[in-house]
Amino acid sequence: MDIISNPSIPHGGAMVARFLEELHGRGLAHEELQQHPLSSIEAGLPHYIRETTLQDMAAGATPLDQAPISGMRYLLRGPLDVAGAVDLALTAGGTDATRVAGLIGGEQIHRLNQALRRLDEHSANYRAELSLLRCRGLDLEALLLSSPGQETLVFPLLTGGPSLKGHVYKEAEYRKALQHEAQRALKQFGADGDGENASEG
């Protein structure tokens, strides 16, 4: 797999390294990280975190890999596998990383490693950009693999409901699988009088 870095993604490696050094040194990292020497953990593969909304999932108008950027993520690779991930918040314009927004471990990393293995299987000769997609209104997360001239591939992390049974989808298939649930969720928001909150996705 040849992951193409987005040329506009900010440099946050130094911030991640400082955070990890302090956390690991104080023994506060989760087990997957703490069990390895700090020197064996490598932060890399920075990629954008994108947030889509219920409206977009229901309408299917905006390509998933063009959903608004809400942050970025670094993967923390241990000797055998990804042992954690660090999410960074960005400035309003997305030009700089401002702070550590979260450390990811446990079951989330287990699901991430499964998705990354599936991604490797489907992309041996594939040059593409990686990003993480979220839709809070459907409680879903997925890895996106995007390449110019090819349909985006979607690797679910959180399924968002019973409609997703597979491990990899083309974007059109993924949208079709979730469109009804998104439309139903929007109607439910309206019935509950929370239509304004639905736009937060």
Side-chain angles (χ1 to χ4, degrees):
M1 174 182 58
D2 184 12
I3 296 296
I4 304 169
S5 296
N6 189 303
S8 64
I9 199 165
H11 296 288
M15 183 182 297
V16 171
R18 289 193 300 270
F19 171 75
L20 186 58
E21 182 177 6
E22 179 179 358
L23 200 71
H24 197 279
R26 296 170 61 187
L28 299 177
H30 54 261
E31 183 180 357
E32 296 94 334
L33 284 173
Q34 200 67 48
Q35 66 181 338
H36 301 300
L38 186 60
S39 59
S40 70
I41 300 170
E42 180 181 358
L45 201 58
H47 52 282
Y48 281 124
I49 301 170
R50 297 181 178 274
E51 301 271 354
T52 190
T53 64
L54 279 175
Q55 284 89 342
D56 279 340
M57 291 303 295
T62 304
L64 297 179
D65 63 349
Q66 294 180 26
I69 294 167
S70 63
M72 61 182 292
R73 171 173 287 186
Y74 274 81
L75 300 184
L76 305 176
R77 290 193 176 273
L80 299 177
D81 232 330
V82 173
V86 175
D87 292 351
L88 301 179
L90 302 178
T91 55
T95 55
D96 292 293
T98 59
R99 61 180 176 83
V100 172
L103 175 67
I104 310 303
E107 180 61 26
Q108 292 183 70
I109 289 300
H110 175 68
R111 289 194 298 265
L112 177 61
N113 275 311
Q114 289 181 324
L116 288 171
R117 283 191 285 270
R118 294 194 295 269
L119 190 149
D120 281 333
E121 293 170 1
H122 282 81
S123 57
N125 300 308
Y126 200 70
R127 299 185 72 246
E129 180 187 340
L130 182 70
S131 57
L132 173 71
L133 179 77
R134 288 177 177 151
C135 179
R136 299 181 190 277
L138 289 177
D139 191 28
L140 68 81
E141 286 188 355
L143 295 179
L144 304 180
L145 200 62
S146 308
S147 183
Q150 299 192 50
E151 188 171 7
T152 296
L153 296 179
V154 185
F155 300 82
L157 297 174
L158 293 175
T159 61
S163 297
L164 294 181
K165 302 297 185 183
H167 297 306
V168 58
Y169 292 83
K170 292 183 177 180
E171 179 172 349
E173 297 170 338
Y174 185 74
R175 285 187 176 281
K176 184 177 180 180
L178 289 170
Q179 189 171 32
H180 177 69
E181 286 188 30
Q183 292 170 345
R184 184 173 57 189
L186 280 176
K187 290 179 181 177
Q188 185 63 47
F189 272 118
D192 291 343
D194 291 332
E196 294 179 1
N197 295 330
S199 63
E200 296 176 5

